[in-house]
Amino acid sequence: IENARGYCSAASMDIARFGDDTLYRHSDRVYRMVAELWPDDHTAQVAALLHDLVEDTAVTLDMIKANFGEVVADTVDALTTREEETYDEYFRRLVRTKNISAIRVKFSDAIDNSDICVGLLDAENLSVASFIYYRIKYRITSGLLCKILKSAEGGDDNLEQAHRAVVYKWVMDYDIKAIQRLRDNKHI
């Protein structure tokens, strides 16, 4: 994990996402969510830190494979959008891979991405209507992935309840921040 954290930091620390958020901070939030939800999935945790590097930096899949092995590289590859691939095509391809670690990372990534809209709205780079669209889009994505994960993980109700509590904690934190920011900026 520490090697992946250092690798991610070196490759992405200064890459901005929006406002004062960086690619590294986003990757770290996704990692923390994955680690809390699936503490035994080391592949997902490492991939969470590396998941956007191929798309957004000079890092290649070959570099990830050389440093973290084929399993992690395959997981990052499943998470990497292809050139000219639509979001729907990407999503269907990801699900078809049946790579549970990749799906776990994307689930956490979708929840964190639902918060990206708040920063864009703050910077007045996004209309309220677009803000609502993107929050719904990423919430639908995380909901669909949650169903896939429940099926893949055997439908364990105790596990599902534990995951639901953690997810609600993350989602509620994002929603509270979003409402506060919207109110502070007089959008509502």
Side-chain angles (χ1 to χ4, degrees), residues 20-70:
D20 63 352
D21 196 22
T22 64
L23 184 60
Y24 176 77
R25 285 191 207 126
H26 162 69
S27 298
D28 186 60
R29 288 190 305 268
V30 173
Y31 158 73
R32 286 185 289 121
M33 196 179 310
V34 168
E36 190 170 356
L37 287 165
W38 299 284
D40 297 331
D41 191 343
H42 181 75
T43 298
Q45 291 171 32
V46 172
L49 288 162
L50 307 174
H51 78 277
D52 279 334
L53 295 184
V54 174
E55 288 177 16
D56 299 332
T57 73
V59 172
T60 66
L61 284 170
D62 287 338
M63 294 164 77
I64 290 175
K65 184 177 180 179
N67 286 284
F68 300 98
E70 189 170 348

Side-chain angles (χ1 to χ4, degrees), residues 160-178:
E160 182 185 0
Q161 287 177 357
H163 285 186
R164 189 178 299 133
V166 171
V167 169
Y168 285 162
K169 178 189 81 167
W170 282 89
V171 169
M172 290 303 295
D173 180 54
Y174 286 149
D175 284 346
I176 288 167
K177 286 191 302 184

Side-chain angles (χ1 to χ4, degrees), residues 18-167:
F18 63 86
D20 63 352
D21 196 22
T22 64
L23 184 60
Y24 176 77
R25 285 191 207 126
H26 162 69
S27 298
D28 186 60
R29 288 190 305 268
V30 173
Y31 158 73
R32 286 185 289 121
M33 196 179 310
V34 168
E36 190 170 356
L37 287 165
W38 299 284
D40 297 331
D41 191 343
H42 181 75
T43 298
Q45 291 171 32
V46 172
L49 288 162
L50 307 174
H51 78 277
D52 279 334
L53 295 184
V54 174
E55 288 177 16
D56 299 332
T57 73
V59 172
T60 66
L61 284 170
D62 287 338
M63 294 164 77
I64 290 175
K65 184 177 180 179
N67 286 284
F68 300 98
E70 189 170 348
V71 174
V72 170
D74 287 347
T75 302
V76 172
D77 183 37
L79 291 160
T80 301
T81 305
R82 308 294 188 253
E83 221 175 288
E84 298 187 28
E85 185 176 46
T86 68
Y87 188 79
D88 289 341
E89 291 166 341
Y90 159 74
F91 186 79
R92 284 193 296 272
R93 181 179 53 78
L94 172 64
V95 171
R96 278 194 308 268
T97 69
K98 297 183 180 175
N99 183 323
I100 296 304
S101 294
I103 292 170
R104 288 171 171 170
V105 172
K106 185 60 191 173
F107 171 78
S108 302
D109 181 53
I111 292 172
D112 191 67
N113 280 339
S114 73
D115 194 46
I116 191 172
C117 311
V118 176
L120 293 172
L121 191 62
D122 281 352
E124 297 182 4
N125 290 333
L126 192 68
S127 69
V128 173
S130 293
F131 166 80
I132 292 168
Y133 166 79
Y134 284 111
R135 291 208 38 112
I136 291 170
K137 171 185 171 181
Y138 286 117
R139 292 297 169 80
I140 289 171
T141 298
S142 61
L144 292 171
L145 292 172
C146 187
K147 288 179 184 179
I148 291 165
L149 289 170
K150 179 181 178 187
S151 174
E153 293 171 350
D156 182 338
D157 287 335
N158 291 331
L159 182 63
E160 182 185 0
Q161 287 177 357
H163 285 186
R164 189 178 299 133
V166 171
V167 169

